[in-house]
């Protein structure tokens, strides 16, 4: 479902707000947790490869269309309904008829685990964003880590209300990460239940 007022357009699924777009500035990142997740974009080299798990309303994809069109960006989303809503109401093409399609960017309809399982072992990404509105599976993150390029970064949105561990994510990531292989940090989003976990593959 899509709703809007004079300021924002909202995507709702099962009564929950999945995405918010500012009508006056569609490229702006509205949610604080996404602002934190996307800070890493400034550090990416020209033409870097990015994998996004969870499209939602396409806030990140819309943002890079304007700010980093050089990035090779793949968004994986398991819901055809969400993808259709993105194209109809939230994509740059739906907002500006003359917006030029960017062939470096693609949206894939697939389950995250199935998609990662089918990836070639040689396909690597400088950045992987895991922003699924669901349980964060260790199996998915392990596969993400396997597909990080040297010096690459995995950023995970840990939404406590969706996780069996709740707000206590430390043991989860401690078991996931091999010592000396990855650098891990965690930031809380003030006023929200999100934790942003940043994992960098050491050279």
């Amino acid at each position: 479902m899509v709703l809007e007022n004079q300021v924002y357009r909202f995507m709702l699924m099962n009564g929950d707000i999945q995405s918010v777009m500012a009508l006056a500035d569609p490229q702006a990142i509205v949610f604080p947790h996404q602002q934190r997740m996307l800070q890493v974009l400034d550090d990416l080299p020209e033409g870097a490869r990015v994998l996004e798990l969870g499209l939602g309303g396409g806030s990140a994809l819309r943002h890079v269309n304007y700010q980093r069109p050089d990035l090779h960006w793949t968004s994986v989303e398991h819901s055809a309904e969400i993808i259709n809503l993105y194209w109809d109401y939230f994509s740059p093409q739906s907002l500006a008829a003359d917006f030029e399609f960017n062939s470096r960017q693609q949206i894939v309809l697939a389950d995250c685990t199935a998609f990662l399982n089918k990836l070639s072992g040689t396909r690597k990404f400088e950045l992987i964003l895991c922003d699924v509105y669901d349980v964060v599976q260790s199996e998915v993150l392990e596969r993400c880590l396997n597909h990080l390029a040297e010096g690459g970064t995995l950023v995970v949105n840990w939404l406590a209300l969706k996780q069996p561990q709740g707000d206590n994510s430390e043991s989860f990531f401690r078991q996931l990460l091999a010592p000396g292989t990855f650098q891990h940090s965690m930031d809380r989003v003030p006023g929200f239940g999100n934790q942003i976990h940043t994992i960098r593959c050491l050279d």
Side-chain angles (χ1 to χ4, degrees):
M1 176 186 296
V2 176
L3 300 173
E4 68 177 63
N5 56 29
Q6 293 181 330
V7 181
Y8 297 110
R9 181 172 294 168
F10 306 87
M11 177 189 288
L12 286 80
M13 298 295 292
N14 301 319
D16 294 329
I17 296 176
Q18 296 289 314
S19 188
V20 179
M21 180 180 70
L23 297 174
D25 189 10
Q27 67 171 307
I29 302 298
V30 177
F31 282 142
H33 79 272
Q34 286 187 312
Q35 295 171 3
R36 175 63 188 84
M37 292 184 74
L38 296 180
Q39 287 177 359
V40 70
L41 292 179
D42 295 336
D43 299 326
L44 291 179
E46 181 84 11
R49 298 155 295 183
V50 180
L51 174 63
E52 177 189 30
L53 303 181
L55 173 67
S59 299
L61 182 56
R62 192 169 55 251
H63 178 74
V64 300
N65 259 296
Y66 292 95
Q67 297 296 330
R68 292 296 307 269
D70 61 288
L71 298 178
H72 294 269
W73 189 286
T74 301
S75 295
V76 180
E77 172 58 54
H78 77 280
S79 169
E81 181 181 3
I82 286 178
I83 292 175
N84 290 335
L85 289 175
Y86 167 77
W87 284 119
D88 290 342
Y89 297 100
F90 296 92
S91 68
Q93 291 82 359
S94 71
L95 301 170
D98 60 346
F99 194 92
E100 185 176 346
F101 179 77
N102 189 338
S103 61
R104 298 183 185 88
Q105 300 167 356
Q106 63 173 330
I107 298 173
V108 179
L109 174 61
D111 172 79
C112 292
T113 305
F115 177 85
L116 289 164
N117 285 340
K118 291 180 180 179
L119 276 182
S120 164
T122 59
R123 189 172 178 186
K124 303 292 184 179
F125 300 90
E126 280 72 36
L127 173 63
I128 301 179
L129 302 169
C130 180
D131 192 9
V132 296
Y133 194 67
D134 203 346
V135 176
V136 175
Q137 302 282 353
S138 58
E139 177 186 6
V140 169
L141 296 188
E142 287 171 356
R143 282 162 174 72
C144 288
L145 294 172
N146 289 336
H147 289 285
L148 278 183
E150 288 188 7
T153 303
L154 168 63
V155 184
V156 181
N157 176 28
W158 179 277
L159 189 57
L161 63 86
K162 288 288 183 179
Q163 312 308 324
Q165 300 89 346
D167 198 47
N168 183 18
S169 58
E170 294 181 8
S171 60
F172 177 90
F173 283 92
R174 192 180 304 116
Q175 295 175 13
L176 178 71
L177 303 173
T181 306
F182 300 99
Q183 181 184 53
H184 171 243
S185 62
M186 185 268 284
D187 294 326
R188 297 182 183 273
V189 181
F192 294 84
N194 305 77
Q195 299 175 10
I196 306 304
H197 292 264
T198 302
I199 302 162
R200 289 185 171 84
C201 181
L202 300 176
D203 295 335

